[in-house]
Amino acid sequence: MNSTESRRSQSTCLNGSSKCFKIHDPLLGFVNQYPLKSSRSVETIGVFGLGFVGSSIAAVWLRYGATVVGYDVSTQRIDDIKNQRLGGFDSEVEEALRKGIQSGKLVLTSDGVEASINSRIKFVCVPVYLGNDGKADLSYLKSACVILGKGLRRGDSVIICPSAPPGTTRDLVAKVLAKESKLKAGEDFSLIYSPERIFVGRAVKDLEENYPAVVSGIDERSLAKAEEIYGKISKKGSVKMPSLESAEFEKLAEGVYRDVNIALANELAMVCDELGIDYFSIREAANSQPYSNLHVPGFGVGGACIPVYPLLVKQSVNKTKTSIISESRRINDSMTNWLVDALKKEFHVNESTRIGILGLSFRGGIADSRLSVTYKLVDNLKMKGLANIRVHDPLIHNDEVIGPILTSDLRSVIRWSDIAIIVTDHKEYKDFDWRRVKKHLRLIDGKGLLRGRNSENNIELYGLGYGSKRPKVTEQ
Ligand SMILES: NC(=O)c1ccc[n+]([C@@H]2O[C@H](COP(=O)([O-])OP(=O)(O)OC[C@H]3O[C@@H](n4cnc5c(N)ncnc54)[C@H](O)[C@@H]3O)[C@@H](O)[C@H]2O)c1
């Protein structure tokens, strides 16, 4: 008996419950199984990595009625979920996790091998970041698969969710799992790649209702298994992809599409500003026919996904030129420089000007600041000697990088600022009654939130794409 086998035979309920019972597995004999309350629920689901994606997947399976074993390398994360310190997740995710803990159907563990032993369907939801060399850092995925592989059994299904360069599942994951488990993907267990398509803030709806799951398998059987698994939780079912690589690339292509179209929107908005034309009315009119989908401009693109995917695509090819992808990234990345230049040249901002930055999260309505444009804007302002800054966010109350200049008190920032810049499309900025501001304030709207409103009372309103500057007509 090898160490994994002996560990399996000793395996007990992770939640310490004596209600754990044994089921007969045709290959393994009797194995532990959790009591399942719902008659629909047939498997125990393992979730490896309990961040935004993993917690959302756990929540959806709990809502389905399954028992979920959640593993995270961060004991802090495990403790936070266990103790229901769940800030930052969607309310539906929080509610499902809370109920799961109370009912004992969500079992949390810092032992990944146990999590693997005790689940038959395993979702891997660890991050793929960008390394310092500008390439995908697959080390988190690799280490999660090493642990998972040690508890992998014949007949299990492994579903890889992170966005990754094409080839990752076949060339890295399958090999690591084979080495650790001595089992072969396709023959002994199902290996599936299915990218997460969720939007933080409405993850449950996205998974259950909004979109079909994009699925792929290392072989036909894995693909059929993927369809069966997602058929249980996704009303829209699944879109079957011809290969693991095509599903991996599909996810990156979605992100690249967004990045390129945001760059286009940014360029068109800047053109409109020079011409004194309102970009938003043009966008509305253009998008009234089905061939146009002009995006909303902004002072850059943040988040862990969209700015990263173009780089993952670029790293995947040697011969093909990726000019549009690269140029779009450059345009989006340069938006904060463009803003700082405009602040200096056109708004005559200097060292003593009090600058209020509205928004730290990368998108409105969420408390996620990963790769937020605001970090770059603060850096760029400081580099130009414009360091009299305060940052407001309604949902993020502490941030190590921004430090004490971050506040959640919108009124006080507005009262303090000489010039305020809306970076994030939080609804609090749209809903704020700007007419009641009792001092002269220059307000720059980077998200088209206040378009259609005039400069009123004490507020001088400008916006990216507002076309509020008069066009310079050159004399002939
Ligand atoms: N956040 C989104 O909206 C979103 C949407 C679609 C796709 N994705 C993709 O999904 C992946 C995960 O994103 P996320 O937002 O959940 O990330 P996250 O940073 O919120 O969470 C990742 C979790 O994985 C844990 N972890 C890291 N290494 C681990 C390991 N070896 N074993 C177990 N746990 C480990 C971390 O502690 C963390 O809790 C990313 O690669 C991203 O590209 C994210």
Side-chain angles (χ1 to χ4, degrees), residues 400-450:
E400 271 177 27
V401 179
I402 297 294
I405 61 168
L406 177 67
T407 171
S408 307
D409 184 345
L410 181 55
R411 276 187 191 285
S412 79
V413 173
I414 289 166
R415 225 176 284 136
W416 174 85
S417 303
D418 299 316
I419 190 162
I421 305 160
I422 298 177
V423 174
T424 309
D425 51 348
H426 280 307
K427 78 176 196 17
E428 284 78 359
Y429 307 144
K430 194 169 181 165
D431 294 346
F432 190 78
D433 190 353
W434 295 96
R435 286 168 308 180
R436 299 182 71 167
V437 174
K438 288 207 172 60
K439 57 173 282 195
H440 179 251
L441 177 74
R442 288 176 297 167
L443 177 62
I444 304 179
D445 176 7
K447 292 304 294 177
L449 282 189
L450 308 177

Side-chain angles (χ1 to χ4, degrees), residues 48-55 71-74 77 89 125-129 139-145 147 161-164 195-200 251 304-305 309 362-363 368 370:
F48 293 72
L50 295 165
F52 283 106
V53 170
S55 299
Y71 158 67
D72 201 290
V73 79
S74 155
R77 173 66 86 180
F89 292 135
C125 308
V126 301
V128 170
Y129 294 124
S139 58
Y140 300 88
L141 181 59
K142 189 174 173 190
S143 59
C145 290
I147 299 284
C161 298
S163 314
E196 260 345 302
R197 313 181 82 197
I198 60 168
F199 228 55
V200 177
K251 177 65 190 176
C305 301
Y309 297 174
F362 77 85
R363 200 180 56 229
D368 184 347
R370 286 178 291 179

Side-chain angles (χ1 to χ4, degrees), residues 127 157 314:
S157 299
K314 277 177 64 184

